[in-house]
Amino acid sequence: MGYFEIKGGARLEGVVTISGAKNAGLGVIPAAILAGEMCVIENLPCVSDVYIFGEILSELGAAVNLAKNGVMTIDPSSISKLTATSESVSKFRASYYLLGALLGRYGHVELALPGGCDIGERPIDQHIKGFEALGATVVIDEENCKITADADQLKGCEIYLDVASVGATINIMLAAARAEGKTLIVNAAKEPYIVDVANFINMMGGSVRGAGTDEIRITGRQNLHGCTYAIIPDMMEAGTFMIAAAATGGNVVLNNVIPNHLDAISAKLLESGASVETDDDGREFYVKVSANRRLRGVNIKTQFYPGFPTDLQQPMGAMLSLAKGRSLIIEDIFEQRFKYVEELKRMGAQIKLNNRRAMIEGVDSLKACDLYASDLRAGAALVIAALTADGVSRLHNIHYIDRGYEHFEHKLAALGADVKRFD
Ligand code: EPZ
């Protein structure tokens, strides 16, 4: 398995261009199934999750091509299979979007149950609640680890989500896009990814209103057509680079960002004493992050959007390990998102864990050592810690990082980091 060798000490300086949003792409790619003809999706990040989804759609019979420039063409008209139960599907969490897309387009789907994850149990009860409300029959076969959903005709209805789940909101939008009549999702998730998927469905001739708010109205449309759509920049990649710039005392300009998607992380970096400036060059927005003195500890509580994102909690934990004073992180979204803490403590970080709370006492420095990523964002957190550490660290399990960060080591090296990949 591959690892990164990271020599700490460099301040990140320069300009980085942010790639397309993985979590928006993972909702838009299956949405293409709803069209009766080819769709072109632009600005996809070339990361393993995107490759895997393209392969899964190909296994169903769709004609899929992903070019190096992040443009994926999908022609769903040749889909001949409505069953996706291979191991790659069960390992790939976002495959659950095939439930909404295939149910919405064909009225039938059989899928390997998405695995529980390294960050918590991650149930899909709200997804199933939505499908059943729309009139589908859903059967979970625990023994064979698969889920089947059937519907003669999905009928629009009102669905109240007990949890403002990103996945459930997108999945129900996919199923309702071609249903008969109107569907109202109450207590919907408001993440920008939801807006992107809704915009894509509307570009195909669908009717989704209110995405980005907690009430989304979908009017089913039978005939959806192909379209070309570019997905939004990745706010989690942007946030990761903003945190890395502040943690290394650097000075980094981020291009291809949507500033208001970064409000929560910008506010917390400002509170910690970093400088965050947003401007535009007449063409596109950019954000500039710099820190020329030791940062102060801050408190963080992860929330649904627009609150502080759970996906940046881990990178912040690395940065706050070196901030002056005490920081408290409360992880309110997932129950197991502190596995990276043990790795930071081996580097000398002072962190006390109590269920979903991490109390951090900032230290003056971290020491390099062999590190092991446990999930995508934990991997990013450990890269940030290694960039600040004295000495050379080896970060293993970088396949997690490859799931969601495009050309990560190249972008960091271009900012002056000493990071090398060894496969
Ligand atoms: C999406 O996961 C993202 N993944 C996650 O990003 C992100 O952390 C998460 O949203 C929260 O923002 C993708 O978009 C592919 P949820 P998702 O359903 O949809 C509970 C990354 O690092 N819940 O919003 O699975 C759940 O247990 C990944 O890029 C239910 O109880 O998250 C959790 O506590 C990690 N029942 C909370 O809701 C359900 O049916 C939020 O989960 C569904 C969710």
Side-chain angles (χ1 to χ4, degrees):
M1 299 294 263
Y3 62 89
F4 283 154
E5 197 166 84
I6 301 170
K7 185 174 183 305
R11 297 170 186 274
L12 298 186
E13 308 265 353
V15 181
V16 62
T17 298
I18 298 306
S19 302
K22 164 183 84 83
N23 292 343
L26 294 180
V28 169
I29 290 168
I33 292 172
L34 297 168
E37 52 197 33
M38 180 183 281
C39 291
V40 180
I41 305 168
E42 298 173 341
N43 199 35
L44 282 169
C46 290
V47 296
S48 57
D49 273 9
V50 169
Y51 294 134
I52 291 171
F53 224 155
E55 282 165 12
I56 291 173
L57 263 61
S58 301
E59 285 165 16
L60 297 177
V64 179
N65 179 57
L66 173 60
K68 285 205 179 319
N69 61 357
V71 176
M72 181 184 271
T73 57
I74 302 172
D75 183 347
S77 58
S78 48
I79 286 180
S80 53
K81 264 179 72 184
L82 302 179
T83 298
T85 52
S86 66
E87 194 187 347
S88 60
V89 172
S90 60
K91 280 187 184 158
F92 176 55
R93 177 154 186 80
S95 57
Y96 57 33
Y97 288 138
L98 290 172
L99 292 169
L102 292 174
L103 187 63
R105 178 79 167 72
Y106 300 101
H108 176 75
V109 55
E110 193 174 319
L111 193 72
L113 271 177
C117 211
D118 23 46
I119 58 174
E121 198 262 333
R122 303 186 80 179
I124 58 168
D125 58 299
Q126 299 298 304
H127 302 235
I128 294 167
K129 174 180 180 179
F131 299 146
E132 289 179 336
L134 287 165
T137 303
V138 180
V139 176
I140 292 184
D141 175 352
E142 295 281 0
E143 195 182 330
N144 297 306
C145 294
K146 67 179 182 183
I147 179 170
T148 308
D150 285 286
D152 295 332
Q153 173 58 55
L154 293 171
K155 287 192 173 39
C157 61
E158 180 168 327
I159 299 161
Y160 172 79
L161 288 181
D162 302 296
V163 183
S165 154
V166 170
T169 301
I170 289 177
N171 234 341
I172 294 166
M173 277 199 314
L174 297 178
R178 295 169 55 106
E180 200 176 278
K182 294 181 186 302
T183 297
L184 171 62
I185 305 174
V186 181
N187 193 28
K190 297 183 275 191
E191 274 72 358
Y193 316 131
I194 315 283
V195 179
D196 231 14
V197 174
N199 288 342
F200 181 70
I201 293 172
N202 289 334
M203 285 284 277
M204 292 196 287
S207 170
V208 183
R209 299 291 177 267
T213 74
D214 57 9
E215 287 201 352
I216 300 177
R217 285 171 170 70
I218 303 124
T219 303
R221 293 268 191 282
Q222 267 309 305
N223 300 311
L224 300 180
H225 51 74
C227 67
T228 296
Y229 188 80
I231 62 167
I232 54 173
D234 193 322
M235 60 191 186
M236 299 310 170
E237 183 196 16
T240 303
F241 276 99
M242 291 168 75
I243 295 166
T248 57
N251 183 348
V252 174
V253 172
L254 292 84
N255 284 334
N256 192 33
V257 294
I258 299 175
N260 69 337
H261 291 174
L262 306 170
D263 285 348
I265 183 58
S266 298
K268 279 298 164 183
L269 289 176
L270 285 166
E271 195 182 320
S272 73
S275 159
V276 181
E277 298 161 55
T278 298
D279 206 338
D280 68 78
D281 59 9
R283 246 175 355 99
E284 63 174 25
F285 284 107
Y286 63 85
V287 167
K288 183 176 169 187
V289 178
S290 57
N292 51 23
R293 68 176 78 85
R294 188 177 183 188
L295 300 171
R296 294 185 295 272
V298 295
N299 295 336
I300 287 171
K301 183 174 183 187
T302 62
Q303 312 258 323
F304 293 120
Y305 189 86
F308 191 90
T310 174
D311 292 350
L312 293 178
Q313 174 266 99
Q314 298 158 299
M316 277 301 272
M319 183 191 98
L320 294 172
S321 295
L322 288 162
K324 185 171 168 43
R326 182 170 283 187
S327 301
L328 172 63
I329 297 180
I330 300 174
E331 170 53 70
D332 248 3
I333 305 292
F334 290 110
E335 62 272 26
Q336 286 172 27
R337 213 162 190 181
F338 284 124
K339 286 183 185 168
Y340 69 101
V341 165
E342 285 314 308
E343 297 297 292
L344 290 180
K345 287 166 75 172
R346 291 198 297 111
M347 299 176 82
Q350 297 293 316
I351 306 175
K352 285 196 181 63
L353 273 185
N354 173 10
N355 286 330
R356 295 190 180 208
R357 300 163 74 91
M359 178 62 77
I360 302 172
E361 289 289 349
V363 295
D364 293 338
S365 65
L366 295 174
K367 61 181 187 305
C369 62
D370 266 10
L371 299 164
Y372 294 83
S374 53
D375 61 76
L376 167 61
R377 307 300 174 183
L382 296 175
V383 166
I384 292 169
L387 288 172
T388 67
D390 305 328
V392 178
S393 300
R394 276 192 178 181
L395 172 61
H396 302 273
N397 299 338
I398 55 174
H399 59 282
Y400 286 118
I401 292 178
D402 293 339
R403 285 190 44 219
Y405 289 96
E406 183 182 55
H407 309 321
F408 199 40
E409 73 273 22
H410 300 305
K411 291 186 178 185
L412 287 167
L415 295 172
D418 184 342
V419 51
K420 295 182 188 68
R421 173 188 287 261
F422 292 87
D423 280 322

